[in-house]
Amino acid sequence: MSEKTHILELNAIGRRSRGSIPTVLLIITGLAALSLLGTIVSFHTFTFTDAIAHRVPANAQTILSHCVSLKATPGPAQDFFDRKISDRFEPGTNATLLRNCTIFTGEHNGTVVTHGDILVDKGIIKRIGKVTQREIDNTPNLTVVEANGAWVTPGLVDLHSHLGVLSAPVLSGAFDLNSPKGPILPWLRSVDGLNTHDEAYALAIAGGVTTAQILPGSGNAIGGQAFMVKLRKTKERSPSSMVVEPPHSLNGTISSAEYTPFRWRHMKQACGENLRSYGTRMDSMWSFRSAYNEARKVKNAQDEYCAKAEAGMWNLITQPFPESFQWEMLVDVLRGRVKISNHCYEAVDLDDIVRLTNEFQFPLATFHHASEAYLVPDLLKRTWGGTPTIAIFATNHRYKREAYRGSEFAGRILADEGIPVVMKSDHPVINSRYLIHEAQQAHYFSLPASLALASVTSVPAAAAGLSHRIGVLREGADADIVLWDSHPLRIGATPIKVWIDGIVQIPIPSKTDTPNNVVVGKGKDGEEWKEIPKTPNWDKERNETLKWDGLPPLQGRRKQDAVAFINVQKVWLRSDGGEITEAASFTNDDFGTVIIENGKITCMESTCITRGSSGNVIDLKGGSISPGLMTYGSPIGLEEIRGEPSTGDGELLDAFQRNIPKILDDTGGVVRAADGLMFGTRNALIAYRSGVTFATSSLAKPIFLYASEGHLIAGLSVTFRTGASHAMESGAIIQDVVALHVVIGRAHPVFHDKSISVSTQVAALRRLLFGWESTDKETGLWFRRASEGVVPLVIEVDSADIMATLLILKTEIENNIGSRMKMVFSGAAEAHLLAKEIGEADVGVILNPVRPFPTVWDQRRILPGPPLTNDTALVTLMQHGVVVGLGIHEAWQASNVRFELEWAKLESNGRVNERQAYAMATSDLERLLGVRAVEDVDLVAFEGGGLFDLSSKVAAIISAQRGFVEVF
């Protein structure tokens, strides 16, 4: 029966009793009966009139039982771990024995690691450690998996995801993220919009994610109810069957008495900038307070009703049990029965919500995003009911004002304060498949390994109230297990096998007679791959972050006198042709010394004398020196905060939407990114401190990300030094005009009111490339130069069908004017489908991103790589002779370029070597974009390792052209 029907029945005196009462209520009923008996026995002291006045209703036991249940605490039954079969078990599933595992259990803040076996049967972990032969013999239909000492973890838990409500590819018919119906909507339920055909489920599982909390969006103060779901397809194939421990209200049922007395509910709240459509922060907080006040009225009325019933004052009960279908969720919040996930960034908003919890006395499970949480730990600890868990990104910051003070060191700072930390994806903001990469980055920036792994397993499970069954490996828990090809905190760690409820998900079971033989972990056979990766010491940077209230100075100290780098293991340099070459290599017993004078190497031997550099000796501790990287594809240097238009270059004029102003006297309004450059942005300086010394930026904005801001004619790109102070500084601008950029694609799936047909876009491009605009204007001049191959034409495009059209167009243009165009596809999610044709046409490709995701229809046919496919787009393109570069979409991602290169290399299963990976962000990328050879490129000195190592960090930038060493 529904919850509402159940409550109405409590007040229906004389109605027939229910057919059955759940076992768990028998104890409650017994207690209620004792109370009732006391009331009846005392009747003999009353007058006849009193007896009539205190007449006991026929359903008094049911009323009293319900009143007692209002005080019940959600959680598992005491005998939960004695269960013999999971409620999620599907008949026909084999039992599994994993032999010889290194097991991260997730228990005790992730500190428990054991070695042994795991026995799984009927969807439950039956044994961990030593499994006896007798147990093996008594387990029928047993599949044995030899782990060979590999790491095994619980299935990852993504505490902040929009899987299924913002499905891949995004289509307007399945866009169920936010409701426009008002700021307070606790009655909405994300499961009601959960699309079971989201292609991202399989991708997430391929990354080891087995459970996710599906949250409504953050456009409402209270966006609605959230649900924890397992990501596998069930036999029923319904959203409801995916929900883990569905709350008693979901299907109109009361709580299951078999295992769970009362189940947790989950809800999404938000505050801050995202609520602007409903007013200011003051308006938002009033909407919260007024809603919770209404809920408090209902709760108080219920409590008064029950107080009278429990005191036997039946004569004073003249109305039905107080209820509100509208506010029942918030009433449960006030009773402490709801795990709230609260989207909140800044100190002011965190403070607002903490005060709200104290005013209405309800606990908060998690603050999400919480960019400034690390700055206000004492405030967090004042939350009513206890300190909430903080769910954050590892490095995704500065994309709006609220996130501007976000820090890579937040996880460690919070952990030092004893505050639980969760890493989350906010899928599809970050592809849930790479949730483990959030933990890897958090560990790199000094979150201890145990807490980093716990941040995506046991801690989010506990925050959701489900740590008795998910996020941990212990006997009696759900059989959600991941077997990894290397230590999970190593870059490129990939699941070999994934089980959900004991059912194999990875490798994907074949739907044909041909087995899916995907190679995973090739080249990771050494014992070092099983070890926890070493990471740098960030104490100085962490302390500076706190000292400067989240915005520490990022410029280094520039030294023009001699500098000596000691304990150098390797030196890489650029050859005359721009290729990366190993210039020196030293052994562990005899590390080398490199002397720099006026920014140039003057000695590179183990016997270099360090005189003249006293006070300027930098110990690289087995580190290396190598050329800096270049980033492309984001608006780095053209904006400070993406969400604040006043901090950027502004929106381009669009010749398709309105006439270009006469003052420009140019049909297409071609402009130069160099004219809008901004130096000293935090994203650029953080990239610089991460070894990315050059950036090529354009005004091109992909349609799928920017909707109507994605204009066909995107102007001319610029290459500049990320660490320069201003445009007039020597060497600041490497090349003021690099390439001509255009954007072609289908309409945005949601915001498509100003969209232009693909055929119209191609027709316009054909006209411009055929030279039908006068070359005495910018548009005609630069499109003529592109058609003649003087400058590259970089086309932002993802669809293989559109790319095929463009290849045909290229042939037409070349045959017509007798030229050889330099065409490059950027984005190129489906380029692998045309690898042969792209190679034959001598067209380059910039994979952006190199780890693809099918965000929109044009990107739906991606090649995801292991463990789903053997090949990646990178491997396929390289095998056909295509020159490939690496791109990023957002400016904050620039600091992670070196790890993107490492991931791409490892994912290739040995088919892309270190030099090839390096070239994707140096020589090959420069060649694709038309960046002319730079004499004396900047070098990067890494302490503690090389470019691709998690153990290393940038100690200094060596700039020969500018004549100094910048030390951090």
Side-chain angles (χ1 to χ4, degrees):
M1 69 182 69
S2 70
E3 183 177 75
K4 185 173 182 179
T5 305
H6 175 52
I7 294 173
L8 289 173
E9 181 183 297
L10 302 180
N11 305 286
I13 299 176
R15 288 185 183 178
R16 62 181 178 83
S17 62
R18 290 173 294 166
S20 63
I21 298 177
T23 306
V24 73
L25 295 180
L26 291 179
I27 296 175
I28 296 174
T29 304
L31 293 172
L34 289 176
S35 174
L36 178 63
L37 178 61
T39 302
I40 296 173
V41 170
S42 64
F43 275 7
H44 74 279
T45 62
F46 296 164
T47 64
F48 178 73
T49 302
D50 291 332
I52 294 175
H54 290 273
R55 185 176 62 186
V56 179
N59 68 335
Q61 290 183 357
T62 303
I63 293 173
L64 290 169
S65 297
H66 180 72
C67 288
V68 172
S69 73
L70 295 180
K71 303 168 187 175
T73 301
Q78 291 184 349
D79 62 350
F80 177 84
F81 294 106
D82 296 329
R83 61 186 179 147
K84 305 301 181 186
I85 184 172
S86 170
D87 54 319
R88 302 186 57 78
F89 174 68
E90 294 200 355
T93 303
N94 278 9
T96 302
L97 175 65
L98 282 78
R99 286 190 184 275
N100 188 22
C101 312
T102 303
I103 305 166
F104 171 85
T105 70
E107 298 175 295
H108 303 297
N109 276 335
T111 58
V112 178
V113 175
T114 186
H115 300 271
D117 307 333
I118 302 176
L119 179 63
V120 169
D121 193 20
K122 295 182 173 55
I124 296 171
I125 296 175
K126 297 290 189 178
R127 184 77 63 218
I128 289 182
K130 182 172 177 55
V131 180
T132 67
Q133 188 61 45
R134 181 177 181 181
E135 288 175 306
I136 294 172
D137 293 341
N138 290 336
T139 305
N141 301 317
L142 183 64
T143 299
V144 179
V145 175
E146 178 56 55
N148 295 313
W151 281 87
V152 171
T153 69
L156 306 188
V157 180
D158 194 346
L159 198 62
H160 189 135
S161 176
H162 302 296
L163 278 162
V165 293
L166 187 54
S167 302
V170 177
L171 295 170
S172 59
F175 191 80
D176 290 294
L177 188 61
N178 293 297
S179 170
K181 302 299 184 181
I184 304 294
L185 304 168
W187 45 86
L188 300 186
R189 307 185 299 185
S190 67
V191 72
D192 292 333
L194 191 66
N195 176 15
T196 58
H197 303 296
D198 188 342
E199 292 183 15
Y201 291 128
L203 293 172
I205 294 171
V209 179
T210 56
T211 305
Q213 180 173 216
I214 309 304
L215 296 167
S218 53
N220 315 96
I222 300 178
Q225 299 165 39
F227 293 84
M228 299 293 294
V229 304
K230 297 282 187 86
L231 303 189
R232 70 172 176 86
K233 280 191 179 294
T234 65
K235 188 170 291 186
E236 187 179 292
R237 301 189 181 190
S238 70
S240 295
S241 63
M242 297 170 70
V243 178
V244 184
E245 292 197 355
H248 67 284
S249 59
L250 178 59
N251 295 315
T253 59
I254 57 176
S255 57
S256 168
E258 187 174 1
Y259 299 120
T260 309
F262 194 89
R263 291 173 170 175
W264 286 106
R265 304 176 76 183
H266 302 83
M267 191 177 78
K268 172 72 176 292
Q269 292 187 166
C271 56
E273 294 181 22
N274 282 28
L275 307 184
R276 285 297 185 185
S277 60
Y278 296 110
T280 66
R281 283 176 167 82
M282 295 177 286
D283 292 307
S284 297
M285 289 314 299
W286 170 245
S287 68
F288 273 121
R289 296 180 67 229
S290 59
Y292 274 110
N293 191 52
E294 292 301 313
R296 182 165 58 185
K297 291 176 185 178
V298 176
K299 176 181 177 294
N300 289 344
Q302 291 176 351
D303 291 345
E304 290 171 8
Y305 180 101
C306 287
K308 294 173 185 177
E310 289 168 347
M313 295 185 292
W314 301 103
N315 58 312
L316 299 181
I317 299 177
T318 59
Q319 297 294 326
F321 182 82
E323 61 159 338
S324 171
F325 197 50
Q326 181 180 18
W327 300 116
E328 61 86 20
M329 184 66 176
L330 297 191
V331 172
D332 260 0
V333 170
L334 298 181
R335 295 196 182 282
R337 305 161 94 169
V338 179
K339 295 288 189 180
I340 297 176
S341 295
N342 207 125
H343 162 118
C344 227
Y345 283 81
E346 290 187 89
V348 59
D349 299 314
L350 296 167
D351 185 56
D352 286 343
I353 298 299
V354 168
R355 280 190 279 105
L356 183 72
T357 68
N358 283 285
E359 180 179 1
F360 292 95
Q361 298 189 344
F362 64 86
L364 196 72
T366 46
F367 274 124
H368 289 241
H369 301 305
S371 293
E372 295 186 14
Y374 72 99
L375 295 173
V376 290
D378 292 336
L379 167 63
L380 303 176
K381 294 173 184 178
R382 292 205 304 271
T383 306
W384 195 91
T387 306
T389 296
I390 306 300
I392 56 177
F393 292 125
T395 58
N396 182 1
H397 308 300
R398 300 172 295 281
Y399 47 89
K400 59 179 176 175
R401 195 193 66 83
E402 292 178 317
Y404 192 57
R405 293 174 190 266
S407 172
E408 293 79 0
F409 309 112
R412 170 63 184 273
I413 294 169
L414 290 164
D416 286 348
E417 289 286 343
I419 298 174
V421 176
V422 161
M423 293 296 147
K424 45 80 176 177
S425 74
D426 193 8
H427 178 93
V429 172
I430 289 175
N431 182 355
S432 188
R433 178 182 180 184
Y434 300 110
L435 178 63
I436 193 64
H437 189 42
E438 292 298 292
Q440 292 164 358
Q441 293 174 87
H443 177 52
Y444 175 70
F445 287 108
S446 73
L447 186 65
S450 58
L451 294 180
L453 272 182
S455 75
V456 290
T457 53
S458 54
V459 178
L466 292 170
S467 59
H468 54 286
R469 65 184 303 164
I470 64 172
V472 292
L473 295 179
R474 64 182 174 200
E475 292 168 8
D478 286 6
D480 300 344
I481 301 170
V482 184
L483 173 64
W484 299 88
D485 69 347
S486 55
H487 190 285
L489 293 180
R490 286 194 170 273
I491 296 292
T494 302
I496 300 171
K497 289 184 178 291
V498 178
W499 293 263
I500 301 180
D501 299 320
I503 304 170
V504 173
Q505 306 296 309
I506 299 292
I508 296 177
S510 176
K511 295 180 181 179
T512 67
D513 294 333
T514 305
N516 294 327
N517 295 320
V518 178
V519 177
V520 177
K522 186 175 180 180
K524 299 181 182 179
D525 302 324
E527 286 299 312
E528 69 273 13
W529 289 98
K530 297 178 182 178
E531 297 173 359
I532 298 172
K534 296 177 181 178
T535 57
N537 184 308
W538 297 99
D539 291 350
K540 173 188 171 185
E541 292 86 350
R542 191 166 63 250
N543 291 333
E544 285 286 297
T545 298
L546 289 172
K547 176 182 176 181
W548 290 89
D549 204 24
L551 297 176
L554 297 173
Q555 293 85 356
R557 303 183 311 279
R558 294 181 174 181
K559 297 180 178 293
Q560 292 182 313
D561 47 352
V563 176
F565 292 96
I566 63 173
N567 291 318
V568 180
Q569 187 174 32
K570 282 188 178 182
V571 178
W572 298 78
L573 298 175
R574 297 280 291 268
S575 68
D576 292 339
E579 305 302 320
I580 305 296
T581 60
E582 185 179 292
S585 180
F586 306 97
T587 64
N588 291 353
D589 298 328
D590 193 20
F591 282 146
T593 298
V594 176
I595 306 296
I596 307 294
E597 296 180 87
N598 297 318
K600 295 187 177 182
I601 296 176
T602 58
C603 184
M604 189 167 52
E605 301 287 346
S606 58
T607 57
C608 290
I609 300 174
T610 61
R611 65 175 180 271
S613 56
S614 58
N616 287 334
V617 177
I618 300 173
D619 187 353
L620 292 188
K621 302 173 184 177
S624 68
I625 295 174
S626 55
L629 303 174
M630 184 171 78
T631 180
Y632 166 77
S634 78
I636 193 168
L638 295 170
E639 64 179 22
E640 179 69 43
I641 305 172
R642 175 179 165 183
E644 292 290 337
S646 65
T647 71
D649 179 59
E651 187 175 349
L652 283 178
L653 293 171
D654 187 357
F656 278 91
Q657 300 297 338
R658 57 182 181 269
N659 291 331
I660 300 298
K662 286 186 177 180
I663 195 170
L664 289 181
D665 192 24
D666 184 45
T667 302
V670 170
V671 295
R672 304 185 182 198
D675 295 334
L677 266 185
M678 301 166 56
F679 288 86
T681 66
R682 296 196 71 81
N683 282 319
L685 292 177
I686 290 172
Y688 183 63
R689 294 176 67 111
S690 303
V692 180
T693 56
F694 290 0
T696 295
S697 293
S698 78
L699 301 165
K701 296 181 177 180
I703 295 171
F704 77 93
L705 284 179
Y706 293 88
S708 61
E709 292 183 46
H711 304 328
L712 172 67
I713 301 174
L716 304 162
S717 52
V718 60
T719 299
F720 65 99
R721 271 191 169 84
T722 53
S725 301
H726 54 78
M728 297 185 71
E729 181 179 284
S730 175
I733 296 180
I734 306 299
Q735 192 170 318
D736 60 348
V737 173
V738 179
L740 176 64
H741 296 258
V742 299
V743 179
I744 295 183
R746 292 183 173 83
H748 189 280
V750 179
F751 310 106
H752 44 69
D753 54 322
K754 295 182 180 180
S755 63
I756 303 162
S757 71
V758 172
S759 53
T760 301
Q761 296 171 57
V762 174
L765 183 60
R766 178 181 289 109
R767 182 179 185 279
L768 292 170
L769 289 174
F770 267 112
W772 294 338
E773 283 294 323
S774 173
T775 57
D776 63 349
K777 303 292 178 16
E778 289 285 278
T779 299
L781 172 65
W782 289 105
F783 274 94
R784 166 61 72 173
R785 289 181 176 179
S787 64
E788 292 175 346
V790 177
V791 296
L793 177 66
V794 181
I795 305 174
E796 194 71 36
V797 60
D798 283 297
S799 165
D801 296 309
I802 299 176
M803 282 185 261
T805 297
L806 293 171
L807 292 177
I808 295 170
L809 176 60
K810 178 177 182 288
T811 301
E812 289 179 19
I813 301 298
E814 292 174 342
N815 290 340
N816 180 264
I817 65 175
S819 67
R820 189 66 173 170
M821 290 181 65
K822 297 176 182 176
M823 184 178 284
V824 178
F825 295 149
S826 177
E830 295 186 350
H832 61 94
L833 298 173
L834 289 170
K836 177 177 177 290
E837 291 76 10
I838 291 172
E840 291 173 348
D842 196 24
V843 170
V845 169
I846 300 174
L847 291 173
N848 188 3
V850 72
R851 291 180 284 146
F853 180 75
T855 303
V856 293
W857 191 255
D858 277 358
Q859 302 165 331
R860 70 191 185 279
R861 296 174 292 187
I862 64 169
L863 196 57
L868 297 176
T869 63
N870 274 311
D871 290 331
T872 65
L874 173 61
V875 169
T876 303
L877 290 165
M878 283 188 170
Q879 287 176 339
H880 286 87
V882 179
V883 177
V884 182
L886 178 142
I888 59 170
H889 281 305
E890 298 190 51
W892 65 266
Q893 297 172 322
S895 60
N896 296 330
V897 166
R898 66 189 183 109
F899 296 140
E900 291 293 330
L901 295 173
E902 173 70 353
W903 199 296
K905 175 172 72 73
L906 292 170
E907 200 173 45
S908 74
N909 280 328
R911 289 173 289 179
V912 175
N913 62 39
E914 193 170 85
R915 282 187 177 82
Q916 289 172 308
Y918 208 149
M920 290 173 62
T922 54
S923 55
D924 284 348
L925 184 59
E926 293 164 8
R927 177 154 52 118
L928 289 171
L929 291 170
V931 179
R932 294 185 291 271
V934 179
E935 186 178 352
D936 295 327
V937 297
D938 291 347
L939 301 176
V940 182
F942 289 95
E943 174 191 305
L947 172 76
F948 298 115
D949 298 327
L950 276 174
S951 61
S952 71
K953 72 174 183 179
V954 175
I957 304 293
I958 304 164
S959 185
Q961 185 171 355
R962 294 179 291 172
F964 59 72
V965 174
E966 189 162 358
V967 180
F968 303 115

